[in-house]
Amino acid sequence: MADVIVVGLGPAGIIAARVLGRAGLSVVAIQAEAAPPGRAPLAAPAPTLRSTSDDEALPQAAPPAGLDTVGGSKLLAAAQAYRLDDWSFEMRSATERRYGPLPPDSDVVDWPISAAELAPWYDIVEDAVDAAPRPATAWTDRMSLAAAGLGWEPFAAPAAASPDAAPLLVGSDVEVVRATVTAILRGSTGEVTGVEYVDGAGDLRTRACGAVVVAASVVPSIRLLLLSGLSADGRVGRWFLSHNAFVVHGDFAGIDLRRRDAGPASAVAVSEFEGDRFDHSGLGFLGGSLLQAAMTGPWSAQRLDAAAEGLSRRTTGGADAATWVRAHHRSIGTVWAQPDQLPRADNVVDLDPVHRDPSGRPVARITFSLAGDDRRRWEFLATRAAEWLRNAGARTTWRPPLQAQPLGTHLYGGVRMGQDPVESAVDSFGRFHGVPGLVVVGSSTFPSTGGRGPVETIEALSWRAASRLADDLR
Ligand SMILES: Cc1cc2nc3c(=O)[nH]c(=O)nc-3n(C[C@H](O)[C@H](O)[C@H](O)COP(=O)(O)OP(=O)(O)OC[C@H]3O[C@@H](n4cnc5c(N)ncnc54)[C@H](O)[C@@H]3O)c2cc1C
């Protein structure tokens, strides 16, 4: 019998497996095999989507292609490595201190861990992934100068040396099994006893263990818990969140910005419009976002088409937008935001009562919509992003319309952490309330999104949770 089974080897699972393995525990890590390749990066099998509980949930016409492999979706990532700002951890109490009580029906909560408590774990992760800013480029220099000209304080984005977290497993003596976990098994008193999984040959197997760490990313983790009958009285799947990242483009009138000389890990950022760093009185929203001007590498056909959205015929001189972008893409600069989203009880992941995966198990169903505050936050941030671009020399700016992104690249929530079991599913160490031996790691446990990328916080929390589990098991 294994001491621990880790489900999923993205960055969260890799770190958990490393820490537990190095603590001398016997660790089996089960990672889904990509067959056929091209499964949704954050949510295989592809979930169905709907906007509200009155709508019919529909399968996606073209689920985003991605990876199911050791390394997880971080392999697709820019590897930007940010600590969340302090405000994100105390969103409710800091808001009430400054602006007065939140409405009684607000789902905004503080995290059960402070920025100061997490700081030593961020230190460990940054050391392990070798996080540091990438060298400046002509584009980031131009945008730094423009930000400083507006009285802002630009800084170079930190990034991990590599998006591949797999080398962190080296020396940890972890047995890696290529299979898909389909259920968490429990004993007579509710304690975890093992997992059920489908192996590469399609056979259903079980494996016994003393503890399970669920690290399958947001939607698959929620689905696995629900398929295992672990709903925490309806709290698993609630308060699902997405970053709804957006961009604003600017045309630099024939100047080759050389954005394609490096990837998006090279970026300059400003934090003036993040969290509560500006007065929100009368604005109708909380939070904000880091704004970033990133390098992008060469643009794919899809990126070129996306950059044409929102472009007016006045800017293109009457030409078709997609054709104009292809002719001018070298001089298009972009600012990008990852805005806070507030938790809402009606944004939910549950099991679809109709649609099933090829093995006959229900797929996940996402019910997700944006609220008025999401639109007001977007308007506010997009205006600042446009101002930044214009101060850098853009003759005109444009932006695609805001769209709900239930399957964006940064997903959160659904297994919320908290001190009170009535308000949450796990504690700050990822320990599932009332189920001995069950730990959940990854951004499904985040009570809020923050206004920056999640991966370093995922890694720091996973390191802390696994260290605690190792202590609990020894
Ligand atoms: C294109 C893109 C760009 C991004 N850029 C950034 C960035 O710059 N900065 C940042 O902070 N974040 C970024 N992110 C987000 C970041 O990559 C994810 O938040 C992070 O990888 C999540 O880590 P995880 O280990 O929780 O999940 P994942 O990385 O998704 O890994 C989960 C693993 O579990 C496996 N799995 C799922 N279900 C099962 C099962 N039932 N049985 C066995 N295995 C299973 C999956 O195959 C996968 O390998 C980006 C994401 C994408 C897609």
Side-chain angles (χ1 to χ4, degrees), residues 213-281:
V213 176
V214 177
S217 84
V218 174
V219 177
S221 291
I222 295 168
R223 175 174 179 255
L224 177 60
L225 292 169
L226 294 177
L227 285 174
S228 309
L230 290 156
S231 73
D233 293 328
R235 286 184 298 282
V236 170
R238 283 178 92 184
W239 304 297
F240 170 71
L241 298 149
S242 165
H243 245 157
N244 281 275
F246 66 84
V247 292
V248 179
H249 303 293
D251 172 35
F252 287 76
I255 299 169
D256 186 348
L257 301 170
R258 307 198 65 77
R259 273 182 296 86
R260 59 200 179 285
D261 290 355
S266 301
V268 59
V270 296
S271 62
E272 274 74 8
F273 307 107
E274 187 184 18
D276 199 36
R277 292 170 198 239
F278 55 100
D279 186 359
H280 287 67
S281 306

Side-chain angles (χ1 to χ4, degrees), residues 246-343:
F246 66 84
V247 292
V248 179
H249 303 293
D251 172 35
F252 287 76
I255 299 169
D256 186 348
L257 301 170
R258 307 198 65 77
R259 273 182 296 86
R260 59 200 179 285
D261 290 355
S266 301
V268 59
V270 296
S271 62
E272 274 74 8
F273 307 107
E274 187 184 18
D276 199 36
R277 292 170 198 239
F278 55 100
D279 186 359
H280 287 67
S281 306
L283 293 179
F285 66 88
L286 294 177
S289 175
L290 214 61
L291 298 181
Q292 300 197 75
M295 299 295 282
T296 61
W299 276 357
S300 62
Q302 197 187 4
R303 288 288 296 271
L304 290 163
D305 287 342
E309 282 183 61
L311 187 55
S312 74
R313 290 216 173 236
R314 194 149 42 91
T315 301
T316 65
D320 166 68
T323 310
W324 186 91
V325 164
R326 278 166 172 75
H328 293 82
H329 68 94
R330 287 186 172 76
S331 50
I332 297 173
T334 302
V335 168
W336 158 52
Q338 300 164 332
D340 280 295
Q341 190 183 45
L342 303 193

Side-chain angles (χ1 to χ4, degrees), residues 8 10-12 31-32 68-69 73-74 76-78 80 181 216-217 410 453-455:
Q31 166 58 46
D68 267 339
T69 190
S73 47
K74 191 179 180 186
L76 300 166
Q80 287 199 336
V181 175
S217 84
H410 298 173
V455 83

Side-chain angles (χ1 to χ4, degrees), residues 47-403:
T48 55
L49 305 177
R50 61 180 182 172
S51 301
T52 73
S53 57
D54 293 333
D55 302 329
E56 184 192 351
L58 298 172
Q60 301 156 69
L67 300 173
D68 267 339
T69 190
V70 175
S73 47
K74 191 179 180 186
L75 289 171
L76 300 166
Q80 287 199 336
Y82 280 112
R83 298 180 181 213
L84 283 189
D85 71 323
D86 294 2
W87 181 80
S88 300
F89 294 90
E90 50 160 12
M91 207 168 172
R92 183 169 195 114
S93 47
T95 299
E96 294 194 327
R97 275 199 304 276
R98 186 166 178 184
Y99 304 103
L102 285 167
D105 61 349
S106 165
D107 290 303
V108 173
V109 290
D110 288 347
W111 288 38
I113 178 172
S114 68
E117 277 174 279
L118 199 56
W121 303 96
Y122 276 132
D123 290 342
I124 291 170
V125 166
E126 284 170 3
D127 193 43
V129 305
D130 199 9
R134 301 275 165 89
T137 63
W139 168 238
T140 61
D141 274 345
R142 173 185 280 267
M143 292 302 282
S144 283
L145 216 59
L150 288 164
W152 306 343
E153 292 181 14
F155 59 94
S162 161
D164 187 1
L168 293 175
L169 278 178
V170 173
S172 297
D173 197 20
V174 172
E175 178 190 344
V176 177
V177 175
R178 310 285 174 154
T180 298
V181 175
T182 48
I184 297 158
L185 306 174
R186 290 189 295 152
S188 54
T189 58
E191 82 287 4
V192 159
T193 56
V195 299
E196 175 195 84
Y197 63 96
V198 178
D199 70 11
D203 294 327
L204 195 62
R205 297 185 178 277
T206 59
R207 184 106 185 219
C209 62
V212 169
V213 176
V214 177
S217 84
V218 174
V219 177
S221 291
I222 295 168
R223 175 174 179 255
L224 177 60
L225 292 169
L226 294 177
L227 285 174
S228 309
L230 290 156
S231 73
D233 293 328
R235 286 184 298 282
V236 170
R238 283 178 92 184
W239 304 297
F240 170 71
L241 298 149
S242 165
H243 245 157
N244 281 275
F246 66 84
V247 292
V248 179
H249 303 293
D251 172 35
F252 287 76
I255 299 169
D256 186 348
L257 301 170
R258 307 198 65 77
R259 273 182 296 86
R260 59 200 179 285
D261 290 355
S266 301
V268 59
V270 296
S271 62
E272 274 74 8
F273 307 107
E274 187 184 18
D276 199 36
R277 292 170 198 239
F278 55 100
D279 186 359
H280 287 67
S281 306
L283 293 179
F285 66 88
L286 294 177
S289 175
L290 214 61
L291 298 181
Q292 300 197 75
M295 299 295 282
T296 61
W299 276 357
S300 62
Q302 197 187 4
R303 288 288 296 271
L304 290 163
D305 287 342
E309 282 183 61
L311 187 55
S312 74
R313 290 216 173 236
R314 194 149 42 91
T315 301
T316 65
D320 166 68
T323 310
W324 186 91
V325 164
R326 278 166 172 75
H328 293 82
H329 68 94
R330 287 186 172 76
S331 50
I332 297 173
T334 302
V335 168
W336 158 52
Q338 300 164 332
D340 280 295
Q341 190 183 45
L342 303 193
R344 287 167 42 214
D346 44 6
N347 282 339
V348 172
V349 180
D350 61 3
L351 296 179
D352 193 302
V354 178
H355 298 275
R356 293 177 178 264
D357 71 9
S359 73
R361 295 176 180 84
V363 299
R365 173 177 67 175
I366 300 180
T367 307
F368 182 83
S369 60
L370 298 179
D373 68 304
D374 292 312
R375 295 183 190 286
R376 291 187 284 275
R377 192 181 299 102
W378 171 65
E379 277 294 345
F380 178 91
L381 293 168
T383 304
R384 269 76 210 165
E387 191 182 356
W388 189 10
L389 286 162
R390 279 197 303 275
N391 211 45
R395 71 177 177 106
T396 186
T397 62
W398 70 97
R399 53 178 145 133
L402 180 64
Q403 282 171 348

Side-chain angles (χ1 to χ4, degrees), residues 5-70:
I5 290 179
V6 176
V7 182
L9 278 176
I14 285 172
I15 284 180
R18 170 198 165 106
V19 171
L20 292 160
R22 290 194 177 199
L25 296 161
S26 61
V27 180
V28 176
I30 306 186
Q31 166 58 46
E33 182 80 344
R39 293 168 64 176
L42 307 173
T48 55
L49 305 177
R50 61 180 182 172
S51 301
T52 73
S53 57
D54 293 333
D55 302 329
E56 184 192 351
L58 298 172
Q60 301 156 69
L67 300 173
D68 267 339
T69 190
V70 175

